[in-house]
Amino acid sequence: MQWADFLANQAATHSLSPEQTAAFVERLKTENSGKSEAKVARELNIGAAAFKKRMTEVYDKFAQSYPELAASKSRGRLEKLRACLTRKYNGGQDAHPTIKEIHHNIPPAVPFEKFVGREAELQNLHQQLQTSRQVAIVAVAGMGGVGKTELATQYAKQHLQNYQGGVCWLSAQGIDVGIQILIFAQLEFKLIAPDDWELADRLRYCWQNWQQGEVLLVFDDVTDYKTQVQPYLPPELPRFKVLLTTRLGFDRTLPQLRLDVLKPLAAMKLLKSLVDRERLKSEPWAAREICKFLGYLPLALELVGRYLSTEEMQDLSLEKLLKRLEKKRLEHEAVAKANPLMRYEYGVAEAIALSWKQLDEKAQGLGCWLSLYALADIPFSVEWIKDDDAQEFWEKAIAQLQKLHLIQWQSKGIYRLHPLIRQFFQMKLDELSEADEVKTAFAAKMVKLAKQIPQQPNRKDIFNLNPFIPHIAEVAIYLSQYLSDEDLIWSFTGLGRFYEGQGLYQQAEPWLQQCVEKAKNRLGLEHRYVAASLNNLALLYESTGRYSQAEPLYQQVLELTKRLVGNNHRDFADGINSLAGLYNSTGRYSEAEPLYLQALALRKRLLGDNHPDVATSLNNLAAVYSSTRRYSEAELLFQQALELRKRLLGDNHPYVADSLNNLALVYESTECYSKAEPLYQQALELTKRLLGDNHPHVAQTMNNLARLYKSTGRYSEAEPLHLQALAICEQTLGVGHPNTIMVRGNYARFLREAYR
């Protein structure tokens, strides 16, 4: 037994925690005997004080076995402990009489200090195995390369002394498992059953005569429980424990420890154990991004770590390797083939392929389809499928992928793909002759969802559509070439609407800018989609107070629309309306009014009197009248717009809240406060309910209601509304936005009047 293995066994025997074990093993390693405590602490990436505390706890636990430690001063305890353990290791009088008599065939394992990020799993595994009175079968399941076999190996080595009856390691993919058990019993215990007995009888003889003490049997890489494990289970006696490693998922009747990828910090720690620490410190961002790109998969991390540590790669920057990985993905040599020094014989793609081969055609097809989704939660429910046979078809495909841990169940109808599995599925998709058709169908499905995003999404819209947003974005960025010309701009437009409708203008802007570029590049400058995308971008500029950027775009849109469809078209009416809105926002009312009148007349002629666009025109024209103090005209049009919107859109719509707010503003301006207040309150309640508490439209209505309270001398009610409105504007619009400046000015006037 190696000294490091002996130390790990002693740690388990004395019930050290994972943290205490790490400190104990590192401190007692032979090569660290001359190092200071502070230096050893640095190698463990912990502070000197934390290391000292852990070692004090270690000494206290070992003092129960070695009383001389309790009498030693702190400075001499390390050498006293080292001496006691050395005697025990060399078979001295206080050595455990069976320490070298435990029979096992555990395969080699990585050094204990390089086995990182699995402390909790090791502890959990031991608890599960020890608490079962019957045969404890714990399936250490998970995708290929997650470290199932290594966890089982480390557990067996670290807890060897718990199994005085021996540890028998069985390869489910090797020769018949029953024969392996007979060979182990013969070699280790000299148990030889007559050759003419049946295999079951020979196994029964071995179990009956097996060495005393608890026994651990490890069935590694199980792919068929019924044939590889069930016939060879030992008697149902508490001393026999059974551990499985498998890619499969079993039902809940079988206790399981599900092994996931490493946490980000543990992934970095694994990389640090393989790559020069200073090299990682010089490029911390690239190191973190490599871990993230590899999905924190232990196999991939070890492959890349060993690749970087080769002599010919000493000068390769981490950033350059990251770019190469992103370009070549699973085909890059850093992850494609197993390192000769590693126990694992597969590269990442080969490891995943072992599970892929067990899938039937429908499950493979579903895996390819799911790979087109973004690296985010995937909403994939089969409940909408009405045909029961078709629904069952897809349910079975999902079940296969889950059973082999190729997809991860998050919640009902929601799944996730590991980044490297997703890459593997994409590679398999690209090998298919119908790959383009599959991508085209997927892109069309996402665009259909994007088209459902309204111009002003409410909270319900946002909640329902939010799960699909990353996948619509995936199509916009990577699959737009599979969109038809008719669908080209919709993924970008939908994303812009989704964010802009929430007041998230910074997130909306890049999508709307890309929309303009995509439309121009594919469709040419003279196309109605170019006009539409320019108009959407101009609207955003106007919403964020960048009027000088918005105006030339609106003018381009109007000119382009006139050339394409003439001046007697709905699109032309929209263009006129948009330009008039900018003039209204910048106080150019004499320029806004004729355009609004023109847009209203054109919309009525083209759409009839009962249309939401007509209501919008009435509302906009009324806003000009209100700004120019023509309140009686404004009141009449606002009332018409409100009535029309309620009739066409229902009472619960953001545009209805907008009309309520505007009508209240007229009443406030004419000092009809008793009429204005309930309308402001209705508008505020409706806007909050539809758009959320922190939307710029909510801030606008709060500001108006606060101003009304100030006008009626209700300062205690006005001040909190002023403060909330200002906070929302500064957060969503920024401190320099015209609306923020206006709200801040109103608050300043309130303070001067209320506290003079």
Side-chain angles (χ1 to χ4, degrees):
M1 178 183 291
Q2 297 297 315
W3 175 248
D5 293 333
F6 170 75
L7 292 176
N9 284 331
Q10 289 300 301
T13 302
H14 289 81
S15 302
L16 299 188
S17 70
E19 294 79 12
Q20 293 165 350
T21 299
F24 164 70
V25 172
E26 194 70 22
R27 192 71 185 101
L28 271 293
K29 282 165 64 175
T30 305
E31 59 266 34
N32 290 339
S33 58
K35 293 181 182 177
S36 68
E37 204 169 67
K39 191 166 185 179
V40 177
R42 281 197 298 274
E43 291 178 358
L44 286 171
N45 286 323
I46 61 173
F51 181 80
K52 188 177 185 68
K53 180 176 181 294
R54 291 180 191 178
M55 285 305 299
T56 299
E57 294 165 349
V58 169
Y59 294 134
D60 290 343
K61 288 193 175 182
F62 274 93
Q64 298 172 24
S65 302
Y66 305 106
E68 57 265 47
L69 281 177
S72 298
K73 294 183 179 180
S74 59
R75 191 169 293 180
R77 282 187 298 184
L78 174 62
E79 293 312 316
K80 186 76 72 175
L81 177 60
R82 192 189 302 277
C84 292
L85 292 174
T86 301
R87 285 200 307 274
K88 190 169 187 175
Y89 179 69
N90 292 327
Q93 290 183 350
D94 57 348
H96 197 291
T98 61
I99 191 167
K100 293 194 175 183
E101 297 173 10
I102 298 177
H103 300 275
H104 72 86
N105 62 341
I106 306 170
V110 299
F112 174 77
E113 62 273 14
K114 291 185 182 293
F115 185 68
V116 300
R118 297 298 194 198
E119 295 83 2
E121 286 86 347
L122 279 173
Q123 196 170 359
N124 190 8
L125 179 57
H126 186 58
Q127 288 173 353
Q128 289 193 44
L129 280 166
Q130 294 305 305
T131 53
S132 175
R133 294 185 179 179
Q134 298 298 316
V135 177
I137 303 177
V138 184
V140 184
M143 60 178 282
V146 82
K148 303 178 295 296
T149 298
E150 192 60 47
L151 179 70
T153 308
Q154 289 289 339
Y155 172 78
K157 280 188 172 292
Q158 292 184 35
H159 290 272
L160 185 60
Q161 287 199 23
N162 291 97
Y163 298 103
Q164 298 292 314
V167 176
C168 178
W169 190 281
L170 305 163
S171 173
Q173 302 303 315
I175 61 173
D176 185 280
V177 172
I179 301 299
Q180 293 182 56
I181 295 171
L182 294 179
I183 292 172
F184 181 88
Q186 180 178 342
L187 292 175
E188 303 296 335
F189 306 133
K190 312 303 181 194
L191 296 175
I192 304 175
D195 290 340
D196 57 350
W197 286 9
E198 294 290 334
L199 178 60
D201 295 326
R202 296 171 72 189
L203 288 172
R204 190 177 302 110
Y205 170 81
C206 290
W207 298 135
Q208 290 171 349
N209 295 280
W210 202 276
Q211 181 168 296
Q212 289 302 305
E214 286 201 345
V215 180
L216 177 66
L217 292 127
V218 182
F219 291 78
D220 186 36
D221 198 13
V222 173
T223 54
D224 187 340
Y225 177 82
K226 193 171 182 179
T227 62
Q228 295 170 337
V229 178
Q230 198 171 49
Y232 311 113
L233 290 174
E236 291 191 8
L237 299 173
R239 77 186 191 100
F240 287 104
K241 311 291 181 182
V242 177
L243 172 63
L244 275 63
T245 75
T246 178
R247 293 165 182 255
L248 304 175
F250 295 108
D251 63 39
R252 297 193 179 188
T253 60
L254 195 66
Q256 294 170 67
L257 176 68
R258 297 191 180 280
L259 204 58
D260 203 349
V261 295
L262 294 173
K263 301 294 184 186
L265 287 177
M268 278 296 293
K269 193 174 180 181
L270 175 56
L271 208 55
K272 285 177 183 175
S273 72
L274 298 163
V275 183
D276 180 68
R277 191 179 299 263
E278 295 303 316
R279 190 175 178 187
L280 296 179
K281 280 184 178 180
S282 66
E283 295 183 84
W285 174 85
R288 288 193 296 271
E289 287 300 305
I290 286 174
C291 291
K292 183 179 178 182
F293 176 82
L294 298 174
Y296 311 108
L297 183 69
L299 170 61
L301 289 161
E302 185 173 359
L303 285 167
V304 167
R306 290 181 181 276
Y307 177 81
L308 286 168
S309 299
T310 57
E311 190 172 337
E312 57 268 30
M313 294 300 162
Q314 290 298 314
D315 294 329
L316 177 64
S317 75
L318 301 186
E319 186 176 359
K320 185 171 286 187
L321 174 60
L322 175 62
K323 289 179 179 177
R324 291 176 181 175
L325 285 170
E326 289 172 338
K327 182 179 179 181
K328 294 189 176 181
R329 308 201 299 175
L330 292 180
E331 295 177 345
H332 191 276
E333 59 181 315
V335 293
K337 297 291 182 183
N339 186 293
L341 299 175
M342 292 169 58
R343 279 186 55 205
Y344 205 73
E345 59 183 308
Y346 302 111
V348 175
E350 292 172 314
I352 299 171
L354 295 174
S355 297
W356 170 265
K357 291 172 184 175
Q358 296 182 52
L359 299 173
D360 62 23
E361 188 175 347
K362 65 176 179 292
Q364 289 181 348
L366 178 58
C368 291
W369 174 266
L370 294 176
S371 74
L372 295 173
Y373 286 86
L375 275 176
D377 286 350
I378 299 172
F380 190 85
S381 174
V382 298
E383 290 185 355
W384 62 271
I385 301 174
K386 294 181 180 178
D387 182 85
D388 195 54
D389 290 338
Q391 190 178 95
E392 188 175 3
F393 176 91
W394 288 110
E395 285 171 347
K396 287 180 178 178
I398 292 170
Q400 280 194 52
L401 292 168
Q402 276 189 268
K403 188 174 183 180
L404 290 163
H405 298 275
L406 292 171
I407 58 173
Q408 302 163 18
W409 183 89
Q410 301 296 110
S411 59
K412 186 177 180 181
I414 303 293
Y415 303 92
R416 258 188 184 267
L417 280 176
H418 185 275
L420 299 183
I421 290 178
R422 179 172 177 261
Q423 289 179 28
F424 180 87
F425 284 167
Q426 287 177 346
M427 287 169 54
K428 289 298 179 182
L429 173 60
D430 288 338
E431 293 172 6
L432 300 177
S433 59
E434 65 270 23
D436 286 351
E437 288 89 337
V438 173
K439 293 176 183 179
T440 299
F442 179 82
K445 181 179 176 65
M446 291 302 113
V447 164
K448 187 176 180 180
L449 289 166
K451 289 178 178 180
Q452 295 175 22
I453 302 174
Q455 188 78 45
Q456 178 60 74
N458 58 37
R459 294 175 82 173
K460 185 179 179 181
D461 296 325
I462 291 163
F463 178 81
N464 290 334
L465 290 163
N466 190 61
F468 299 98
I469 293 302
H471 311 300
I472 294 172
E474 186 76 10
V475 168
I477 298 170
Y478 299 109
L479 298 174
S480 61
Q481 67 269 36
Y482 296 99
L483 295 171
S484 66
D485 288 353
E486 281 299 309
D487 286 342
L488 178 63
I489 69 168
W490 277 104
S491 54
F492 301 97
T493 302
L495 292 164
R497 286 180 174 181
F498 180 80
Y499 291 115
E500 190 174 0
Q502 299 175 71
L504 303 173
Y505 301 117
Q506 285 187 329
Q507 288 95 317
E509 186 171 348
W511 295 115
L512 298 179
Q513 289 174 333
Q514 289 178 64
C515 188
V516 172
E517 293 307 311
K518 285 283 183 183
K520 285 182 176 179
N521 290 339
R522 188 197 287 193
L523 306 173
L525 300 179
E526 297 288 313
H527 196 281
R528 62 191 180 94
Y529 276 180
V530 173
S533 57
L534 284 169
N535 188 72
N536 291 336
L537 184 58
L539 279 169
L540 181 129
Y541 288 155
E542 182 184 348
S543 298
T544 52
R546 290 178 281 174
Y547 304 124
S548 61
Q549 290 176 264
E551 184 171 356
L553 293 186
Y554 280 139
Q555 290 170 340
Q556 285 181 53
V557 170
L558 201 55
E559 292 167 7
L560 179 55
T561 304
K562 191 173 183 179
R563 286 199 303 274
L564 292 172
V565 297
N567 59 4
N568 192 35
H569 192 276
R570 181 178 175 179
D571 290 352
F572 187 71
D574 293 344
I576 293 172
N577 183 75
S578 296
L579 184 58
L582 178 75
Y583 292 155
N584 185 50
S585 297
T586 52
R588 296 152 68 180
Y589 306 120
S590 61
E591 296 174 79
E593 184 178 348
L595 292 180
Y596 273 145
L597 285 167
Q598 187 180 354
L600 175 60
L602 186 53
R603 282 173 166 172
K604 280 188 172 184
R605 188 167 70 249
L606 295 172
L607 306 172
D609 290 341
N610 293 298
H611 193 278
D613 287 359
V614 172
T616 297
S617 280
L618 291 170
N619 179 80
N620 294 345
L621 184 58
V624 172
Y625 292 159
S626 178
S627 298
T628 53
R629 302 190 178 187
R630 294 149 68 182
Y631 298 122
S632 60
E633 295 173 83
E635 180 184 356
L636 180 62
L637 292 184
F638 276 139
Q639 287 173 337
Q640 290 179 35
L642 176 60
E643 181 186 345
L644 191 53
R645 281 176 165 174
K646 281 186 173 182
R647 191 166 69 247
L648 297 173
L649 305 174
D651 291 339
N652 293 299
H653 193 281
Y655 289 168
V656 172
D658 180 53
S659 286
L660 288 168
N661 179 77
N662 291 338
L663 185 56
L665 186 60
V666 170
Y667 290 142
E668 182 196 351
S669 300
T670 55
E671 299 184 359
C672 297
Y673 300 125
S674 61
K675 288 185 177 181
E677 183 177 349
L679 294 180
Y680 276 144
Q681 289 171 338
Q682 287 178 55
L684 181 58
E685 188 275 331
L686 183 55
T687 308
K688 278 186 173 183
R689 190 169 72 246
L690 295 175
L691 304 180
D693 292 342
N694 296 305
H695 195 282
H697 292 182
V698 171
Q700 184 64 51
T701 307
M702 279 182 173
N703 172 78
N704 295 346
L705 185 56
R707 190 179 57 229
L708 182 145
Y709 288 155
K710 184 203 76 162
S711 299
T712 54
R714 295 152 68 181
Y715 300 125
S716 62
E717 295 174 78
E719 185 162 14
L721 289 176
H722 274 303
L723 288 169
Q724 289 178 60
L726 182 58
I728 294 170
C729 285
E730 288 182 342
Q731 181 184 349
T732 59
L733 304 177
V735 293
H737 191 280
N739 284 6
T740 306
I741 294 169
M742 180 268 293
V743 170
R744 191 184 301 116
N746 285 342
Y747 181 46
R749 283 188 288 276
F750 162 80
L751 292 175
R752 285 197 297 272
E753 182 174 324
Y755 295 103
R756 63 186 175 186

